[in-house]
Amino acid sequence: MSLADSDRELVVSELDREPTRAEAALFENLWSEHCAYRSSRPLLSAFDSEGEQVVVGPGDDAAVVALPGDGDTETYITLGVESHNHPSYVDPVDGAATGVGGIVRDTLSMGAYPIALADSLYFGEFDDDHSQYLFEGVVEGISHYGNCIGVPTVAGSVDFHPDYEGNPLVNVACVGLTNEERLVTAEAQEPGNKLVLVGNGTGRDGLGGASFASEDLAEDAETEDRPAVQVGDPYAEKLLIEANEELVDEDLVESARDLGAAGLGGASSEMVAKADLGAHIELERVHQREPNMNALEILLAESQERMCYEVEPDNVDRVREIVERFDLGCSVIGEVTDGNYTCTFEGETVVDVDAYFLGEGAPMNDLASEEPAEPETDLPDADLEAAFDAVVSSPNTASKRWVYRQYDHEVGVRTSVGPGDDAAIIAVREAEQGLALSSGAAPNWTDTAPYEGARAVALENATNIAAKGATPLAAVDCLNGGNPEKPDVYGGFNGIVDGLAGMCETLSTPVVGGNVSLYNDSVAGPIPPTPTLAMVGSKDGYDAPPLSVEADGNLLLVGDLGLEADDAQLGGSEYLAQFDGSDAFPALPTDPAAVVETLAAVADDDATLAVHDVSHGGLAVALAEMVTEDTGLEVAIPSDNPAGALFHEQPGRALIQTDSPETVREAFDGVAPVVELGTATGDGTLTVRVGDETIKTDADAISERRATIDRELE
């Protein structure tokens, strides 16, 4: 990928000369879709990113949000998310691993210590050999890197859809912990301060990674694009985490930036551009791990485990002392100036540009957009018991234990509720708060209806958090789409932006940061528009109601049961995916914010025994997931539409087991319907009567159905 002719003309006009080779490469990378958001930035103003608890919003390496509390010192969390989609197709292990490393370093840039990870993964059909190869490699990369650096992976999602066959998605979120005194940003502070490069030596890996991520994947990408994939070293990352902690503790860092897309050139120029300043960098001062590197390679290599710090001159020696004690490289490569962004190599000036123009001068794209077509109604006539088996055993709804058992989700001793539940709970003892974390999207939903599906994704994540008794606090998004130059693709992308933004605003949950990944397109075609949302919520204390039922108590459904066909639209459901049907997407609750708020309160009520949200796979999967070897459920649903009642996936619904049904009804009066479905039993069986039909099974049979992934990959 080279600098487009129109972009080159703009650069020549600004510089009043032809750009040097290094300058042209810098503009090519920093003006790429991956860095400049040329096709998406015009749409992102739809998001509300402000709120009482928001300290730092979009535009920095990570967002910063204050936790509610009455302490003398406010506790801050950081939130960030990024994609490593193209690299994970070319090299699934290193591609996914370096995605984890990058989002963790974004956390370090804010003066925070990483305390939790969440990964949302999307692959082609599960029974495809290549999809399984990518799936196994990505999980290996995430687990190895995350486990080695000691940051627990506590939440996430895995989805399979045929349109990811040529382009999987790897979206990783990180939560960090800091406070007002420790907070650092990526905005340079003062001319004369030194720029210090810390971490691994610079090599030739990852060259052109930003521009590579801004193109469709070619058929030969797995071989031809391998040099654009970075190679990670989690042990160096762990040392960097601890060294960064000491540097921040001793107040030695004025500003910081992780070296990610476009390498040193990207990090250092963005740092000074934010403050309308400049820099002078001597590239030969950069510590290197390969011989005979030229200026362009040093400037743009995306070698991992590196940070750029702004340091006051009097503190440089102390920084070097701390860094070298952790056996990391340390180079004073230049200083902040009040002029242009300049780089020299062995006495020759190779870059001399205005930093703000380099970072913000890319023109935005004005692209054609087509509204997605409404799906037709074509419902299958499937046997109810066969449908139950197919939906409960689908890789999309089946247990993801094979994935998360490879992750160390308890390291750091903060995990109160781990993966496999509706949301994770992390203990933030500094604020006596539980932090709930949910992450994911729903490609079947947004493929069917981008706008309504994205609204549903936001509501689903909020419902997950409320099911643990927490109130949504803030979110970050990773907006994934195909080639935006295709009008139908751009129309779908526009839909997920507006849908996600609208529902988050309705829920009073600011979207404080995020990432955009376009050109997820290959010879197999574009991916479904995929709005991954990582949402956090807070609650007093760290306890939460379980997902599984106890042996006694009434089971209630909050939300529409779907007694009539018109109330149980099946669009986007796993049921239709299994039986090749289509339908309109279900209508969402009329007051979703009240549903979420009330559910959070009821979940924390003393009479509540268990709570589980109802979404993917519908009521059938939710009921099956609540049954254990020792506890069962006996449920009766008076419906003339059994498939609709069991399998429609309207979000914003929950199953509640309680000792006090009246308490639940009173709480949701005027907010959402409440239907009593049945009672818990002590025999580990699930009996569901729907109209004239009955499904009866037990915990062992359910576990066998839900072990689809384990059976195939063990």
Side-chain angles (χ1 to χ4, degrees):
M1 186 174 180
S2 59
L3 195 61
D5 290 343
S6 58
D7 289 346
R8 177 175 282 274
E9 291 174 7
L10 194 60
V11 170
V12 169
S13 175
E14 172 72 18
L15 300 181
D16 200 24
R17 58 174 171 80
E18 286 290 325
T20 67
R21 184 165 172 258
E23 288 170 339
L26 260 184
F27 278 106
E28 173 198 328
N29 278 267
L30 291 176
W31 284 18
S32 67
E33 184 67 50
H34 185 72
C35 291
Y37 291 5
R38 298 174 67 158
S39 301
S40 60
R41 189 179 293 189
L43 308 178
L44 300 182
S45 61
F47 288 102
D48 182 1
S49 59
E50 298 180 351
E52 184 180 348
Q53 303 300 123
V54 179
V55 179
V56 176
D60 224 306
D61 273 0
V64 182
V65 178
L67 287 179
D70 302 321
D72 294 334
T73 301
E74 276 195 305
T75 301
Y76 294 165
I77 60 163
T78 62
L79 277 176
V81 65
E82 77 166 32
S83 61
H84 243 221
N85 302 334
H86 283 30
S88 297
Y89 177 81
V90 174
D91 181 348
V93 176
D94 281 320
T98 51
V100 173
I103 197 62
V104 166
R105 290 191 303 279
D106 284 343
T107 302
L108 304 185
S109 298
M110 309 306 296
Y113 195 88
I115 61 170
L117 292 163
D119 56 78
S120 293
L121 314 175
Y122 310 86
F123 302 95
E125 291 188 282
F126 179 67
D127 58 5
D128 179 84
D129 289 343
H130 191 248
S131 294
Q132 289 189 14
Y133 156 75
L134 294 171
F135 179 33
E136 290 181 285
V138 164
V139 171
E140 179 186 342
I142 291 171
S143 63
H144 177 65
Y145 204 100
N147 294 351
C148 288
I149 63 175
V151 181
T153 302
V154 299
S157 60
V158 180
D159 287 277
F160 301 94
H161 188 288
D163 291 345
Y164 295 117
E165 172 54 36
N167 199 131
L169 303 182
V170 175
N171 297 171
V172 184
C174 185
V175 177
L177 193 61
T178 188
N179 58 41
E180 185 176 3
E181 287 74 24
R182 294 170 48 85
L183 181 62
V184 177
T185 73
E187 183 174 328
Q189 300 297 305
E190 189 71 35
N193 284 343
K194 300 298 181 182
L195 295 176
V196 182
L197 183 64
V198 170
N200 265 347
T202 299
R204 291 184 172 90
D205 55 318
L207 277 168
S211 55
F212 161 61
S214 303
E215 299 176 301
D216 292 353
L217 276 171
E219 194 166 7
D220 59 359
E222 288 179 281
T223 54
E224 293 302 311
D225 291 321
R226 193 165 290 271
V229 179
Q230 310 92 334
V231 179
D233 178 357
Y235 302 105
E237 180 97 348
K238 176 61 175 174
L239 295 172
L240 193 56
I241 291 170
E242 302 306 328
N244 186 81
E245 187 75 356
E246 287 206 20
L247 296 176
V248 172
D249 273 344
E250 294 193 22
D251 198 23
L252 299 173
V253 177
E254 303 305 311
S255 65
R257 195 100 197 189
D258 153 53
L259 270 68
L264 175 62
S268 57
S269 64
E270 289 168 352
M271 182 186 291
V272 296
K274 287 176 69 70
D276 200 21
L277 294 171
H280 175 69
I281 295 174
E282 298 176 49
L283 294 172
E284 68 274 10
R285 290 176 171 264
V286 171
H287 53 285
Q288 302 160 41
R289 68 170 188 265
E290 296 188 36
N292 304 316
M293 292 185 69
N294 61 39
L296 189 151
E297 292 170 333
I298 296 169
L299 194 61
L300 288 177
E302 296 182 8
S303 303
Q304 297 292 284
E305 294 85 41
R306 298 182 300 160
M307 299 280 292
C308 185
Y309 294 112
E310 178 192 4
V311 179
E312 291 182 352
D314 290 345
N315 290 332
V316 168
D317 288 343
R318 178 57 180 157
V319 168
R320 188 190 304 277
E321 180 183 342
I322 291 172
V323 169
E324 291 181 348
R325 180 156 51 81
F326 284 93
D327 201 24
L328 293 167
C330 182
S331 302
V332 180
I333 59 172
E335 65 180 23
V336 180
T337 69
D338 56 8
N340 271 359
Y341 176 77
T342 64
C343 300
T344 61
F345 183 65
E346 297 177 348
E348 178 187 354
T349 299
V350 294
V351 176
D352 186 357
V353 299
D354 177 78
Y356 187 82
F357 178 70
L358 178 61
E360 300 293 334
M364 297 295 104
N365 295 332
D366 184 12
L367 300 175
S369 175
E370 289 180 4
E371 288 284 328
E374 290 288 330
E376 297 180 357
T377 296
D378 180 15
L379 300 179
D381 184 19
D383 174 79
L384 194 66
E385 191 154 355
F388 179 87
D389 287 344
V391 171
V392 172
S393 63
S394 163
N396 283 324
T397 59
S399 169
K400 303 305 186 296
R401 180 180 173 275
W402 181 88
V403 177
Y404 62 73
R405 71 180 177 84
Q406 299 183 54
Y407 303 153
D408 187 343
H409 50 265
E410 295 184 346
V411 63
V413 295
R414 290 183 180 273
T415 308
S416 175
V417 176
D421 212 310
D422 288 335
I425 299 283
I426 300 297
V428 183
R429 300 181 186 88
E430 294 80 354
E432 298 182 346
Q433 293 273 307
L435 188 72
L437 173 60
S438 173
S439 176
N444 283 342
W445 295 358
T446 46
D447 194 28
T448 300
Y451 175 77
E452 289 296 333
R455 293 182 70 232
V457 165
L459 179 55
E460 157 70 357
N461 279 281
T463 306
N464 284 338
I465 284 170
K468 299 293 100 180
T471 303
L473 180 65
V476 291
D477 58 31
C478 193
L479 304 170
N480 305 270
N483 185 333
E485 297 163 45
K486 300 176 180 179
D488 59 331
V489 170
Y490 197 56
F493 184 79
N494 203 331
I496 64 171
V497 170
D498 288 345
L500 204 66
M503 180 56 75
C504 286
E505 184 174 7
T506 296
L507 297 172
S508 300
T509 304
V511 180
V512 292
N515 177 74
V516 176
S517 176
L518 295 175
Y519 292 94
N520 292 291
D521 220 313
S522 69
V523 291
I527 64 161
T530 308
T532 298
L533 193 69
M535 184 181 288
V536 294
S538 62
K539 64 177 299 180
D540 293 333
Y542 324 125
D543 295 331
L547 179 153
S548 302
V549 292
E550 296 186 7
D552 296 303
N554 298 82
L555 186 71
L556 309 180
L557 172 70
V558 172
D560 287 334
L561 183 55
L563 298 179
E564 304 296 333
D566 290 344
D567 297 330
Q569 292 170 312
L570 286 157
S573 67
E574 189 60 33
Y575 172 72
L576 292 189
Q578 289 294 315
F579 294 98
D580 298 320
S582 64
D583 197 8
F585 194 76
L588 302 189
T590 55
D591 191 350
V595 170
V596 170
E597 181 182 2
T598 307
L599 179 60
V602 169
D604 275 339
D605 188 88
D606 290 341
T608 298
L609 304 176
V611 182
H612 187 19
D613 93 297
V614 181
S615 57
H616 307 298
L619 192 58
V621 169
L623 290 168
E625 288 175 332
M626 296 185 82
V627 171
T628 72
E629 289 184 358
D630 301 318
T631 59
L633 286 168
E634 190 163 326
V635 171
I637 303 171
S639 175
D640 295 328
N641 180 27
L646 280 182
F647 301 119
H648 86 90
E649 297 185 9
Q650 182 197 60
R653 299 186 297 156
L655 290 168
I656 299 175
Q657 185 192 22
T658 178
D659 283 335
S660 177
E662 193 56 38
T663 298
V664 178
R665 289 193 186 92
E666 288 177 3
F668 282 97
D669 184 32
V671 174
V674 176
V675 181
E676 187 157 354
L677 296 183
T679 58
T681 66
D683 58 5
T685 62
L686 173 64
T687 303
V688 182
R689 296 182 178 86
V690 191
D692 296 331
E693 301 192 56
T694 299
I695 296 171
K696 188 166 185 177
T697 186
D698 60 31
D700 288 340
I702 290 170
S703 294
E704 182 65 19
R705 289 185 184 97
R706 301 193 69 241
T708 303
I709 295 174
D710 294 75
R711 266 197 312 274
E712 183 66 27
L713 300 182
E714 283 293 297

